[in-house]
Amino acid sequence: MAKESQSTQQLIDIQSVRENTLILKNGSLRKILMVSGVNFDLKSEEEQGLITYAYQNFLNSLDFSVQIFVHSRRLNIEEYLKKLDTRQTEEENDLLKTQIAGYREFVASFVSQNPIMSKTFFVIVPLDPIQIPGGASGITAKFFGAFKKSSHQPAQDQEKDFQHNILQLNQRVDRVVSGLTAIGLQAAILDDSTIIELFYNLYNPESVEKKGLAIAKEGGLGRNITDIIAPPAMEMNSNYLKLGNKFAKTIFVFTYPRYLAGGWFSPIINLADLLDISIFIHPVDTALALKNLRKKAAQVQAELMEQGEKGMVRNPILETAFQDIESLRDSLQQGQEHLFNVGVYITIYADTLENLNKLEAQINSILESKLIYAKSAIFQQIEGLGSTLPIGRDHLLIHAPLNSGPVSSFFPFVSANLTSDEGILYGINRHNNTLIIFDRFSLETANMVIFAKSGAGKSYATKLEALRLLMTGTDVLIVDPENEYEQLAKTVGGSFFKISLASENHINPFDIPIVPAGENPADVLKSHIVSLAGLIKLMLGEITAEEEALLDRAISETYAASDIVPGKDFSKMQPPLLENLQTLLENMEGGRELAERLYRFTKGSYAGFTNRPTNIDIRNRLIVFSIRDLEDELRPVAMYIILSFIWNLIRAELKKRVMIIDEAWWMMKYKDGASFLFGLVKRARKYFLGISTITQDVEDFLNSAYGRPIITNSSLQILLKQSPAMIEGVAKTFNLTEAEKGLLLEAVVGQGLFFAGPN
């Protein structure tokens, strides 16, 4: 209990939550916006400057106070682990069931043994329509204010006033959202249950994150919010608070240097510790600011003149102050800058007083290295906590007058968060110690590209992703050029097919396509013939336009000879072979040369590879096609045949699948192969398919006319270590900054850049 015998409910400034709005005890209203972040440190100086400038314009547009709140807590993955438990129960494959158990144990132990954080950004938009004179006295009144409802105002009038105030508040929210969007940040208004969840976690820092929502649901939103979110006990001391079993301390920043570099606040925000940061930005009336600055300029000028008349040595401090005042006056007069009173408060949490003091010393050390100084709010810890909470109440009122430029250097949204309860674990964000748990199917497309030099870890990362996708119920199809995925197939009971001249596994490129439900068989057959023509052109090499037209007719007639024609049910017909096409070409005018060029694929040295009926069983969750034992010149043909076969399979049955094409540059070397691959990537989204293209020969990939479009149609991009010879091409393609280029050149195995849509 608190030392003044007050219940913890009394020390909460919140009256209720209604219509996605926080209502305080003094009648003030608050909207809380959750805001996305960016990895600011990876931006180039030019990009950082543009972001800071846009943020400065946003601040200049404000004529009301706002609070920016940064919430940092240990990551809670309970929901994610529960979903893994469910998947393990549902999984019928014993090998995969064992893998899921191991993966779950790995994630749980990793998070428990390492400081894995969850960082969230908020902007609190206030409206204070009610000014109440008098009220309660004592610490409760000072910290939380007093709420006095007029007993003479009818309920109908109160509701009318409330709706009018909500309308005004929403107009402010629209302005804030618009300003944040201009910076490139996304913002969403918290709903009632999420607000309760947030404050439960804030008042109960020792609890598991997100537990507040469960408690709110158990008790119902009809319960008094203070009963839901109040801590079980609060102990107040001169230099710290104790919330439950957690120690908390609030410190405030009170001194800044003359110059603040952009991004100086990032090291504090990205600390892997429990802390809450509150930045209050109070606009100052420009006319009043100019009046005060004019007085100050006159005082400084008078002092300089007095010292000059006395023959004293020039005072550079006063001269600099005078120049700064005059410069600020000019900027304010011209509307380039605005003036703000800024308060920065940081509340830190620890399990012991010793750890609390260590964290305070660490923060002070970081700040002092930048000539910024902070102090603990001695005898004002309860006010300090209230100032840090996202309720828009600045109880400490410890401000520094700063103009727009320095305030914009506080840019707080410097940390991107890619942790969700869906998807698989890809890695750790090294900037802020958050997990990257991501569902690639949540993006516009589920396609992915991986670029890396040999030995950077791309194959290992791909195998890991494939295994974890299988655990979450996603089918995986792999084109394997080097037998790297054979062990993976054995581990989970997948199918592994070797495609080679002497192999027992064959795929007939003339297989009849399966007609998906609701599609026209004639259109499906026509599309298949076009795809097959691309394969034959890849086999033959360059052909003329006349030969291309002849080939198209020959393929149609080859199918027609087997009674496979539009308008008939051809689903149970025996498909032709490549040798049937060759025979037809031999008997067509102008087709003999093409038939001779096909000879090596029908009766020549390549006959066993392309001229046999299909004999593989594709009823498996993981299917690997190995083409390691094929000659180099046959690999693009094999990839084309396999991808065409897989594509027909995918169109036949819609389900979540990922197709992995390792060493994709083999196909990109040939126009028809690259065109076919681009077609797959472009159409994959409609069939619930994600395509992963992996390559180490970046130049071969990018030199193709289809290379860059494949990248732009891939919402997920992973770049691992790059060679100096390739880095410029990669940097140009992905618009990398100098910091990102340096990271890729110096990255160790398994480190790199992860792009997921705009993040």
Side-chain angles (χ1 to χ4, degrees), residues 65-258:
S65 299
V66 295
Q67 178 190 5
I68 298 171
F69 177 67
V70 183
H71 184 50
S72 181
R73 290 293 186 272
R74 291 293 294 264
L75 178 67
N76 171 32
I77 55 166
E78 282 188 351
E79 290 300 318
Y80 186 66
L81 296 179
K82 286 178 183 177
K83 290 182 179 180
L84 289 178
D85 290 336
T86 303
R87 274 292 308 138
Q88 185 179 355
T89 304
E90 296 172 348
E91 182 58 58
E92 297 177 357
N93 184 319
D94 290 337
L95 294 173
L96 272 178
K97 187 172 287 193
T98 303
Q99 294 294 329
I100 294 172
Y103 173 59
R104 185 201 181 284
E105 178 61 29
F106 166 73
V107 175
S109 62
F110 186 82
V111 171
S112 65
Q113 295 171 16
N114 295 277
I116 304 299
M117 309 304 294
S118 171
K119 295 184 182 290
T120 323
F121 304 96
F122 302 92
V123 174
I124 293 82
V125 184
L127 183 71
D128 300 309
I130 302 172
Q131 300 296 329
I132 302 173
S137 60
I139 189 168
T140 306
K142 183 179 180 183
F143 174 32
F144 299 108
F147 179 66
K148 186 181 289 185
K149 186 184 293 184
S150 173
S151 58
H152 303 293
Q153 188 180 26
Q156 186 176 358
D157 290 345
Q158 291 180 26
E159 179 63 22
K160 186 177 179 181
D161 289 345
F162 176 77
Q163 294 301 331
H164 174 72
N165 293 333
I166 284 288
L167 182 63
Q168 285 186 300
L169 182 56
N170 286 337
Q171 290 173 349
R172 288 187 173 187
V173 169
D174 290 342
R175 288 173 58 185
V176 172
V177 171
S178 177
L180 293 172
T181 303
I183 306 172
L185 303 172
Q186 297 174 326
I189 300 173
L190 295 191
D191 59 24
D192 292 354
S193 61
T194 311
I195 292 173
I196 293 174
E197 173 187 308
L198 173 64
F199 280 96
Y200 178 86
N201 293 326
L202 286 167
Y203 281 109
N204 298 270
E206 63 180 338
S207 69
V208 177
E209 284 281 294
K210 299 186 181 180
K211 190 177 177 182
L213 181 58
I215 289 184
K217 287 179 178 178
E218 289 172 10
L221 293 179
R223 281 178 62 191
N224 190 322
I225 185 174
T226 56
D227 294 336
I228 297 172
I229 66 177
M234 180 186 291
E235 178 185 329
M236 290 183 286
N237 290 275
S238 62
N239 202 29
Y240 68 89
L241 295 175
K242 195 173 182 183
L243 298 172
N245 293 321
K246 282 281 184 186
F247 292 89
K249 176 184 288 190
T250 300
I251 59 178
F252 58 86
V253 178
F254 67 95
T255 299
Y256 299 92
R258 182 168 177 263

Side-chain angles (χ1 to χ4, degrees), residues 510-514 528 559 564 570-576 648:
F510 279 82
D511 273 344
I512 300 170
I514 302 171
H528 178 66
Y559 275 118
I564 302 170
F570 49 75
S571 60
K572 296 180 181 178
M573 296 294 181
Q574 185 70 27
N648 286 331

